[in-house]
Amino acid sequence: MTDQRALDWSTFKQKDGIEVADEFTLSPNLQLPQLTGAEISPLQLDPPGPVGEAYMFGQEAIEFIMGPVGSAKTTCSIFRILVGALRMPVCKDGIIRYRGCVLHANLRALYRTAVPSLQQFFKPGSPGVEYFGGQDRPLQIILRFQTPRGKKLQIIIDGFGITKDSMEELLRGYQANFGWCIEADLLDEDVPPFVYSRVAQGRYPGKGLLEDPNAPIPGSVWGDLNAPLITNYIYKDFIEAPRPGYKLHRQPSGLSERAENRKYTSLVDYQKMAGVLKKDKKKRMVDAEFGTEGDGALVYSDYEFDIHCAKAPLQPLDLPLLIGSDAGGSPALVIGQYTPKGQMRWLAELVADPGTGVGRFSEALVDLLQSKFRGLPVAHAWGDPSAFHGADKKAGELSFMETLGKAISVQFLPTVTNDPSARQESVAWFLRRRVDEDGFPYFQHCPTMKVVQAGFQGGFKIVKNIHDSSDHVAFVKNKYSHVHEGGQYLCYGVRGHAGVINDAARAGRPGNVVPISSGRGPVKDFNL
């Protein structure tokens, strides 16, 4: 209790046999703050950008926002508390009651991160604002306002340092409307869904206290974070295999033209960070892209999720289809289209389990073509050159690629080379071109291609060949590599061996620029 006001906790209201404390009895010279001030009004907040605004007003079960440092993620989480409170039904005594918890993996970290941010908007000692607790002691914040329509609003925020082992002890029996996960990627993956189990049933403030006992009571869990490693549960639960009710809002890179919160964090600020941070940290903290882990470097450093992953599922154009396939113990392929304007579009992936034979893989390809691309012909198909060998030709056996081609009545062709560097360049060339003069990407993949997306964002890695003393490179063989190698064969087949070499030789110069050297040498007159 502060010195500036005196709450009369002994005053109660009797409503239908239910005693409700009159928390809003203030001393005569004080008034409740209006929920209309520029600092604390969700109605007057200038959102940092469209992603932050969509997150702030979201209503999914578990909803996180991921972005670069300084993109106002925490601010949006705080204002989401106020937005959620204004959705609550009114109690019989005319008061709107809203309660939730703010969570971190560590209680001290919670005081270091959440509390200072909350205090920027709800100043300790102000009328209607109370803070309880301290370092290593449970946190509780009680906020009392008057809404724009004159209703009295009470918000209770409980703070917990929580882990997988302590969540049941702390939250069993806890009744609330929301859970806010600070630095959500640091929490155990079981914490957010368990918190949701405490807010999903609408048990606070209780049906008996509501003016309309049948009114819906919203419940949601939200959180904010910087991009974690691709091995973090955030990638698995929100991207790779999205769980029902989970939604991830991804803000653009701080270096992007569409970066959010430019009012307070400038392009120059991000450029300075990018110049100081190591490449992997810059990718996560500035570019807001998932990071890699372990040995190896990312194969495609020019990939930008915001540009190269389509915002909505890509629909096939009225153009022939192209296929690039990898064979081996885990066959995989990419189906795409190449437009007259030079855009490479990856529309679908087919990724088989290890040990899948060519017969089962062929059946899956036929099903995919008939279900998603009926009526579109396959113009060309390319594959791993090594998968065209190994069959007993004298006995009439077909190779992997020959069998696959027979299944769809299309002849698969081997690419000229299987060199990893050349195949890498065949895709990287499209990525480096970024967008045309109309802002249209030269390369895009469908967001439904989860394995391809995971590979671009950190799963598909490259290392020096440890068995070779030269500078030859090799791709790390994992669940992401096979489908990406299929995509490489597709792009290599489209561009052709000469195209890959010529584009690399031009070193990014337009085709109408005279090269540094023609390679023919000076003209000589041997008659002199």
Side-chain angles (χ1 to χ4, degrees), residues 66-69 71 250-260 262 267 270 274 282-289 304-307 434:
M66 185 180 84
V69 175
S71 59
R250 299 183 64 165
Q251 292 178 305
S253 164
L255 301 174
S256 168
E257 294 178 355
R258 294 180 292 107
E260 303 202 336
R262 274 286 188 255
L267 174 61
Y270 284 115
K282 179 254 182 186
K283 181 184 177 187
R284 293 171 52 213
M285 301 302 168
V286 175
D287 297 330
E289 298 282 357
E304 293 186 39
F305 171 83
D306 202 39
I307 294 175
R434 295 172 58 83

Side-chain angles (χ1 to χ4, degrees), residues 56-67:
M56 192 177 77
F57 287 95
Q59 298 186 68
E60 295 293 337
I62 298 177
E63 203 159 2
F64 289 172
I65 184 170
M66 185 180 84

